[in-house]
Amino acid sequence: MSYAAQKYSADIFSEENIKKCVLPYYGLETAIVTQIKFKDTDKQRAVYRIDDTNNSYCLKKVYFSKEELLFVYSSIEWFYRNNIKVPRILPTLDGGRFVNYNDMLFILTPWIDGSKCNYDIKENILSSSENLAKMHNCSEKFHSIKGSLVRKSFDNINASTCKHFNHLLKYSNSAFKYKDKFSKLFLQHFDTNISMAQTVSSISNNIKTDNLSKSLCHLDYVNKNIILDTNNNIWVIDFDKCRIDYCVHDISYFMRRFMKRTGTNWDFSLAIDCLNSYEKFRSLNLDEYKYILVYLGFPQKYWKISRDYYKNIRKCNKNSFVKLLNKAIENDTYQYEFLYQFINYIENKFNAKLY
């Protein structure tokens, strides 16, 4: 991006410009504007806190089309009307659902005060899991308003897992070829990670996708988007990635985020408690447990860093990649142990052999 384009972009998203060109549509031209986040990427986004005399709001520049925004709007309204705590998209003075300024779409919601879900507090995780089950229960029959682009995504986990498994085999050949610092580290941990990849690839082949329940899913249900207010009520924010999908994709994404942390470190008992909390409100069948197992058991970070490294080996910062790989593998033995504990648990729970 040229200097002129960068300056133009900065000017357009400045607090002064937002106050002048966007907030009048809401009658908030005298409010205080504070930029919270700005990402000048292909999916350009900006987030502002708007403080008026009596209320605070969140103003967000979205990075998708009007038709997709109508789907997101429908999703938020659906959850709101089914007693899930979400910040509704507020209307403009003329009743519009968004502001179109300079071919960019902006939405305004109430600002939710509270603290994000703390993964070091077990009760936060368990209550968030219960809330997710309630979201899935109430949105099985979801439908969006006219004019929406209906988002659906039922990715084949078997196809992606087997493809990534084969990638790891290919990267091992590259590692033997290059024999650099990254490659030596990759090979030192290859047996553990390829064993996990091979096991879950085998299990993924037996998942009957027709048995996977579907609903409206958040798909970014992580701590920064789960807010606990002063009364410990859970509020769910940021529905930018929502779509109709397998419920277990939502659960698995939620669980992997806290399981891979050093603090929770592939804690098997925590994972089971989390699933039990979900099942208080929505039961899971054998194929759904298999899906969760495959999603959690594949060495995702090890695969992704290796992919990026060997794809860019001639121009990347090799020392940075070594640091990233070191971080990815520091808990791989815990993930390995978790995987086989989880396999035994599922086999006992359903009296079935997984592979």
Side-chain angles (χ1 to χ4, degrees):
M1 183 183 291
S2 68
Y3 171 76
Q6 286 178 335
K7 185 174 187 304
Y8 173 75
S9 179
D11 287 346
I12 256 193
F13 290 106
S14 70
E15 293 160 340
E16 294 78 12
N17 206 50
I18 292 299
K19 187 171 185 174
K20 174 184 174 184
C21 301
V22 177
L23 293 190
Y25 288 92
Y26 295 101
L28 294 170
E29 51 268 49
T30 61
I32 298 170
V33 182
T34 307
Q35 189 178 85
I36 303 299
K37 179 167 70 174
F38 177 63
K39 284 190 176 180
D40 200 10
T41 60
D42 290 341
K43 294 183 177 181
Q44 195 178 57
R45 357 183 165 182
V47 179
Y48 305 85
R49 176 169 175 145
I50 312 298
D51 289 298
D52 198 19
T53 305
N54 299 313
N55 297 295
S56 296
Y57 307 92
C58 177
L59 180 74
K60 178 193 255 183
K61 185 260 178 190
V62 300
Y63 56 86
F64 36 79
S65 67
K66 179 183 79 171
E67 291 75 18
E68 286 187 87
L69 178 53
L70 292 177
F71 181 88
V72 172
Y73 170 83
S74 303
S75 303
I76 293 170
E77 283 295 303
W78 186 277
F79 284 126
Y80 171 79
R81 294 175 188 187
N82 283 279
N83 301 313
I84 302 296
K85 293 190 179 301
V86 293
R88 301 174 79 186
I89 296 177
L90 301 174
T92 60
L93 292 177
D94 62 2
R97 298 185 181 98
F98 55 83
V99 171
N100 188 335
Y101 162 61
N102 203 41
D103 292 326
M104 299 181 297
L105 304 181
F106 290 83
I107 58 173
L108 187 75
T109 66
W111 185 273
I112 305 302
D113 280 317
S115 56
K116 67 182 182 180
C117 172
N118 187 338
Y119 289 150
D120 292 319
I121 300 175
K122 183 177 179 179
E123 284 307 313
N124 278 195
I125 292 174
L126 302 187
S127 58
S128 296
S129 185
E130 292 177 5
N131 190 67
L132 186 59
K134 293 174 184 177
M135 292 174 70
H136 292 160
N137 277 340
C138 76
S139 64
E140 284 184 321
K141 297 181 180 180
F142 165 77
H143 55 84
S144 56
I145 62 176
K146 185 177 180 180
S148 304
L149 175 64
V150 178
R151 294 170 165 184
K152 291 184 179 181
S153 179
F154 305 109
D155 292 341
N156 186 325
I157 194 169
N158 176 50
S160 62
T161 303
C162 292
K163 181 174 74 173
H164 296 165
F165 167 66
N166 287 322
H167 285 171
L168 287 175
L169 295 176
K170 184 176 74 172
Y171 303 150
S172 70
N173 292 332
S174 297
F176 281 115
K177 173 185 174 182
Y178 290 109
K179 298 179 181 178
D180 56 7
K181 190 174 181 180
F182 181 95
S183 298
K184 289 176 181 177
L185 186 61
F186 173 88
L187 290 172
Q188 284 172 14
H189 290 260
F190 182 71
D191 287 348
T192 298
N193 286 281
I194 201 66
S195 176
M196 288 190 284
Q198 187 172 24
T199 298
V200 298
S201 294
S202 175
I203 293 171
S204 71
N205 192 46
N206 298 317
I207 295 174
K208 297 174 183 175
T209 54
D210 288 346
N211 289 338
L212 304 180
S213 60
K214 305 169 185 177
S215 74
L216 177 62
C217 294
H218 187 280
L219 295 179
D220 198 15
Y221 195 74
V222 295
N223 64 334
K224 67 185 175 69
N225 293 328
I226 305 168
I227 307 298
L228 281 78
D229 66 19
T230 53
N231 295 316
N232 265 349
N233 295 311
I234 290 179
W235 290 79
V236 185
I237 65 172
D238 195 351
F239 284 79
D240 287 358
K241 295 181 181 179
C242 69
R243 64 187 63 240
I244 300 168
D245 202 344
Y246 299 126
C247 300
V248 281
H249 187 186
D250 231 4
I251 304 163
S252 301
Y253 189 89
F254 167 61
M255 291 182 67
R256 186 168 69 185
R257 182 62 69 95
F258 68 77
M259 290 293 291
K260 67 183 183 181
R261 294 171 62 252
T262 300
T264 39
N265 203 14
W266 299 102
D267 185 329
F268 173 71
S269 63
L270 177 60
I272 299 306
D273 286 343
C274 177
L275 290 169
N276 286 340
S277 292
Y278 183 91
E279 290 201 84
K280 287 179 184 177
F281 297 93
R282 185 180 182 88
S283 62
L284 297 165
N285 60 43
L286 174 58
D287 287 294
E288 289 173 323
Y289 264 90
K290 287 180 184 177
Y291 185 109
I292 296 167
L293 170 73
V294 170
Y295 197 97
L296 297 180
F298 187 84
Q300 179 74 12
K301 203 70 175 175
Y302 179 81
W303 163 79
K304 186 176 185 297
I305 293 168
S306 304
R307 178 201 64 183
D308 293 345
Y309 180 75
Y310 289 113
K311 185 178 179 180
N312 302 286
I313 190 168
R314 300 193 185 281
K315 56 183 179 181
C316 69
N317 184 325
K318 295 189 177 184
N319 288 332
S320 294
F321 270 94
V322 169
K323 289 179 182 178
L324 289 171
L325 185 59
N326 263 314
K327 181 68 175 174
I329 60 179
E330 64 183 4
N331 292 324
D332 59 4
T333 55
Y334 293 103
Q335 185 180 7
Y336 181 90
E337 292 168 3
F338 165 81
L339 171 62
Y340 291 99
Q341 279 184 291
F342 199 18
I343 289 172
N344 289 334
Y345 175 85
I346 296 170
E347 289 182 338
N348 290 330
K349 181 179 176 72
F350 292 95
N351 192 27
K353 294 298 289 183
L354 296 192
Y355 67 106

